[in-house]
Amino acid sequence: MNSMREKKNTALFKLLYSLLLNVGILVFYLIVYSLNYEMADDAGYADWIANGCYDFHFISYLYCAFVGFIQNIIYPLNAYVLVFLFLSLCAFTAITVVFTDKFNAVVATFFTLFITSFFAVSHYEQISFTRMPALLTVAGFLCIIHYVNKDKYRLGVCVGAAFVLIGSLIRFMIFEASLVMVCFYVVGKSLSEYFAIEKGTRKIKELFLVIFEKRRLIIAISLVALCFGINISENFIVKQNDGLSYYCEYTAARSAVWDYPIPDYEQCKEEYDKIGIDANDIEMLRQGYLDDKGAFSLEKLKEIKSIQQNYNSQNKSYIGILKNMIVDEIGGMRALADKGIALFAFGIIFLSFIILMKKRNYFIPLFLGISVFGFYYYLWFSSKVPYRAVYVLLLAATVYLLYSFSITEFKCIFSRLYFKYRKVNLAVLLLLAIPLFLVGNYLSNKSNVYFDCFRVSQDQMDLQKYIDDNKDKKLELSRTVSLPKGVDSIIYVSRESVTENSIYFNCTYGKLPYYMQEVKNFGTDNLYSYLLEDGVYFVDDSPNPQTDMMKTYLEKYYGSGNNISVQKTDVVGEYYIYKFSLQ
């Protein structure tokens, strides 16, 4: 009885200590730095969920409905943001609990401060729907790996499974990448354990028994089946809705083209001419003006993708890609760019592992290194290497490597030094933790790039006033124009429409039923042809003018052979108001 009570007290201490440590780190970030969105997408998601739109497909409907339920309770507080902060705190705390359980409080503190110094900026300073699932799935898989073979395993495994499931609901593609990473880690770890067995007693059967251990296999298959089952079910339901089905199909085609380098008109002139695309159309595409009733129907996007693939495949060299990848990543580390900082963190742990650990443990960094390199090369080959795509790779590799450290597996010289000066080593580790956290935090914050939608200029406020004072005018805002959000802090969200007589040209979500309804409420089903109607105006941004491009496009697709005149009707700060008219 006393033994069980002591274990419970120990477990409670580990949980409370881990929670207090991570709460302290969260408070530090909230006090020192300003919270913001990583991308405009996140700002849009928060607004849509607050207004009852849960089916924009990039995030699971189930998760959005859950956040929406909370939003209805706590409005005007921003549930999208607060839930993300809460989940981040829970995930970092779970990682610390695992470290505390495997090592001790001092080592766990050092490891936690190391991880948060390089990665917490993506959770406590930014709200990102692409990085949040990376943290959740990595923390979840770590909990499962740690607790699956313990006697009292159910709670730890269930917590880990919940993290993984929530992560898959937020961004399924990140879950898939995280799943691959943990599989590589398990294989590397199993090989290390296999080669730790004396040569004469090793049997290849034992290796497979370790990798495919019954309890581990049942949990893994059940969890993966659940995540894939929910994803497949939601996709099936989406296909039954014509509006959502078209939006998803068009978005997939848009993403396949728009997210990758688009060849210039001169580079593929013959191919573009065959499908009726000119240089101005290419510029419209690059700027995100996707008119599916004009230049960019679903079929036309697929034809452009084919041209794009043929051109890019002819201009790729496997060796050249490898060279560019290495040069760019080294440059990123030198310039303290976001990917470079995360790669630097992984590199520190990788080299420390190689130096300290016995050679039979090298399978772990080897397999993690292969998976990171393989993903990196694939992304470079596809010409798309955003930080949010590689974040899960570097976070997973760093966390799993830290977890794989073991004093008993230290090389003899380091093992003797550790046990001989154990208290001194732990004290030094603790003393180094704070300056390491501050330095890593400074570097991570310096490389941080985010979408600041709350910094409002006087011109933006003047434009909003102009729109409010001219209710008789319908104003279509170019993609470089932005208006105040209606709230001055990310902690709050507004359910009120910014204005009734203005609308943005939406690129990524331009075919979303929720946005299409806004377009209809604006008075049309086609924002491009509507620009030629009486009382409809185009608002352009003078530092980034797009009026000439729009005029050329309208003449080609909606001019019916007529020229279009452009008249500047008003000037509001740096914003110009134009009227397009058929001559």
Side-chain angles (χ1 to χ4, degrees):
M1 182 66 73
N2 289 333
S3 177
M4 288 182 62
R5 188 176 297 150
E6 287 176 5
K7 286 183 178 179
K8 286 183 179 180
N9 290 337
T10 303
L12 182 61
F13 166 77
K14 291 173 183 176
L15 176 60
L16 290 176
Y17 177 79
S18 301
L19 181 60
L20 287 172
L21 175 61
N22 282 280
V23 167
I25 294 170
L26 171 59
V27 170
F28 169 84
Y29 270 93
L30 294 179
I31 292 174
V32 175
Y33 302 111
S34 59
L35 189 64
N36 223 308
Y37 295 111
E38 182 207 6
M39 299 185 294
D41 302 60
D42 292 288
Y45 295 164
D47 288 340
W48 291 342
I49 290 175
N51 286 280
C53 174
Y54 307 145
D55 50 4
F56 40 85
H57 193 59
F58 280 84
I59 303 179
S60 165
Y61 179 91
L62 291 175
Y63 177 82
C64 293
F66 167 72
V67 176
F69 172 76
I70 296 175
Q71 183 66 81
N72 291 331
I73 297 173
I74 66 173
Y75 182 81
L77 294 175
N78 192 338
Y80 182 82
V81 169
L82 296 180
V83 170
F84 264 37
L85 286 176
F86 175 75
L87 289 175
S88 298
L89 175 63
C90 290
F92 278 122
T93 299
I95 292 172
T96 307
V97 169
V98 170
F99 285 156
T100 307
D101 192 51
K102 182 178 180 182
F103 304 105
N104 55 53
V106 174
V107 174
T109 300
F110 181 82
F111 283 175
T112 298
L113 291 176
F114 181 88
I115 292 171
T116 52
S117 67
F118 288 101
F119 295 99
V121 66
S122 297
H123 302 277
Y124 293 157
E125 191 178 347
Q126 291 179 347
I127 298 300
S128 169
F129 83 103
T130 57
R131 301 185 196 180
M132 182 72 253
L135 175 61
L136 286 173
T137 53
V138 169
F141 282 130
L142 182 68
C143 288
I144 294 171
I145 289 168
H146 181 71
Y147 289 106
V148 69
N149 291 320
K150 288 182 173 288
D151 293 332
K152 302 288 185 180
Y153 71 94
R154 287 184 177 83
L155 180 60
V157 168
C158 287
V159 170
F163 282 145
V164 173
L165 178 60
I166 296 171
S168 73
L169 292 177
I170 297 175
R171 190 66 168 147
F172 193 76
M173 292 176 64
I174 300 297
F175 158 74
E176 291 176 311
S178 187
L179 179 62
V180 172
M181 290 296 296
V182 76
C183 287
F184 270 87
Y185 170 72
V186 169
V187 172
K189 179 68 173 173
S190 300
L191 283 170
S192 295
E193 292 175 357
Y194 173 73
F195 282 97
I197 302 171
E198 292 184 17
K199 279 188 177 181
T201 58
R202 285 181 201 160
K203 294 180 181 179
I204 195 68
K205 179 182 177 182
E206 293 179 1
L207 175 61
F208 286 94
L209 288 175
V210 171
I211 296 176
F212 301 107
E213 190 270 330
K214 185 177 179 181
R215 183 192 292 174
R216 181 190 293 175
L217 196 61
I218 291 173
I219 292 171
I221 292 175
S222 301
L223 180 58
V224 171
L226 178 62
C227 294
F228 273 90
I230 292 175
N231 182 261
I232 292 170
S233 299
E234 288 203 343
N235 287 334
F236 176 79
I237 293 171
V238 162
K239 289 180 180 178
Q240 310 310 306
N241 183 308
D242 292 339
L244 277 176
S245 179
Y246 178 72
Y247 157 67
C248 292
E249 189 177 4
Y250 192 89
T251 297
R254 186 273 315 162
S255 178
V257 173
W258 201 59
D259 290 358
Y260 301 92
I262 302 171
D264 294 335
Y265 173 73
E266 293 75 14
Q267 294 171 322
C268 299
K269 183 179 185 303
E270 184 178 346
E271 292 84 352
Y272 283 139
D273 286 344
K274 284 181 180 179
I275 63 173
I277 294 294
D278 60 24
N280 190 72
D281 295 333
I282 295 299
E283 189 58 28
M284 287 283 288
L285 175 61
R286 285 174 172 164
Q287 295 297 326
Y289 292 95
L290 298 178
D291 175 20
D292 64 336
K293 295 180 175 64
F296 308 112
S297 64
L298 182 59
E299 293 71 23
K300 192 65 68 68
L301 281 179
K302 291 177 180 178
E303 290 176 326
I304 294 173
K305 180 60 183 177
S306 179
I307 295 171
Q308 183 186 46
Q309 284 181 324
N310 290 335
Y311 176 81
N312 290 335
S313 63
Q314 293 171 5
N315 292 274
K316 280 183 179 177
S317 162
Y318 293 103
I319 301 299
I321 291 172
L322 179 61
K323 180 181 177 182
N324 291 336
M325 182 180 79
I326 294 172
V327 170
D328 183 80
E329 297 308 325
I330 291 175
M333 286 189 283
R334 286 179 176 175
L336 301 178
D338 46 14
K339 284 184 292 183
I341 291 298
L343 193 60
F344 179 70
F346 170 60
I348 291 175
I349 302 304
F350 186 94
L351 290 176
S352 300
F353 195 95
I354 296 297
I355 293 170
L356 295 173
M357 300 292 285
K358 294 176 182 177
K359 290 182 180 179
R360 63 192 180 205
N361 295 283
Y362 287 1
F363 286 105
I364 299 172
L366 174 64
F367 273 77
L368 287 174
I370 288 173
S371 59
V372 170
F373 176 83
F375 268 113
Y376 254 93
Y377 191 83
Y378 167 76
L379 292 170
W380 268 90
F381 187 81
S382 64
S383 305
K384 182 182 180 182
V385 201
Y387 180 46
R388 57 183 180 274
V390 302
Y391 178 79
V392 63
L393 313 177
L394 298 173
L395 175 63
T398 303
V399 170
Y400 295 150
L401 266 184
L402 285 171
Y403 176 75
S404 300
F405 276 98
S406 174
I407 302 301
T408 58
E409 288 295 312
F410 271 16
K411 292 174 182 175
C412 291
I413 182 172
F414 296 113
S415 181
R416 286 198 299 267
L417 286 172
Y418 175 81
F419 285 109
K420 186 175 180 180
Y421 304 104
R422 185 173 182 275
K423 292 183 178 179
V424 174
N425 288 328
L426 291 175
V428 170
L429 205 62
L430 200 57
L431 288 173
L432 286 175
I434 300 299
L436 177 64
F437 172 76
L438 295 175
V439 171
N441 186 271
Y442 168 77
L443 295 176
S444 300
N445 182 68
K446 187 176 179 181
S447 69
N448 186 18
V449 178
Y450 57 85
F451 170 71
D452 190 353
C453 58
F454 300 104
R455 185 177 298 171
V456 180
S457 68
Q458 184 61 49
D459 286 347
Q460 285 176 299
M461 291 189 288
D462 291 342
L463 178 60
Q464 181 65 69
K465 186 176 185 304
Y466 176 88
I467 294 171
D468 293 337
D469 291 344
N470 291 270
K471 295 294 186 182
D472 58 323
K473 294 182 178 180
K474 300 230 172 177
L475 298 144
E476 298 186 18
L477 312 181
S478 82
R479 284 185 46 76
T480 59
V481 175
S482 61
L483 293 173
K485 284 188 62 63
V487 292
D488 57 6
S489 170
I490 194 174
I491 299 299
Y492 298 98
V493 68
S494 174
R495 285 177 172 164
E496 297 178 6
S497 175
V498 175
T499 182
E500 297 176 355
N501 60 317
S502 71
I503 196 167
Y504 296 96
F505 284 90
N506 201 316
C507 173
T508 303
Y509 309 97
K511 307 302 173 285
L512 181 69
Y514 181 85
Y515 175 74
M516 292 306 297
Q517 185 58 51
E518 288 187 336
V519 174
K520 287 181 179 179
N521 294 340
F522 188 68
T524 183
D525 62 354
N526 187 338
L527 292 177
Y528 298 89
S529 62
Y530 201 47
L531 280 170
L532 300 175
E533 299 290 334
D534 292 338
V536 183
Y537 298 83
F538 184 68
V539 182
D540 205 359
D541 181 14
S542 58
N544 302 286
Q546 299 186 344
T547 304
D548 291 342
M549 177 184 69
M550 183 63 75
K551 172 183 176 293
T552 302
Y553 180 82
L554 292 176
E555 283 182 336
K556 179 178 178 181
Y557 292 95
Y558 298 103
S560 301
N562 299 312
N563 291 328
I564 291 177
S565 65
V566 181
Q567 179 184 2
K568 186 190 296 182
T569 61
D570 283 299
V571 176
V572 182
E574 64 179 16
Y575 302 111
Y576 296 166
I577 317 298
Y578 292 99
K579 181 71 190 86
F580 294 106
S581 303
L582 284 172
Q583 289 185 337

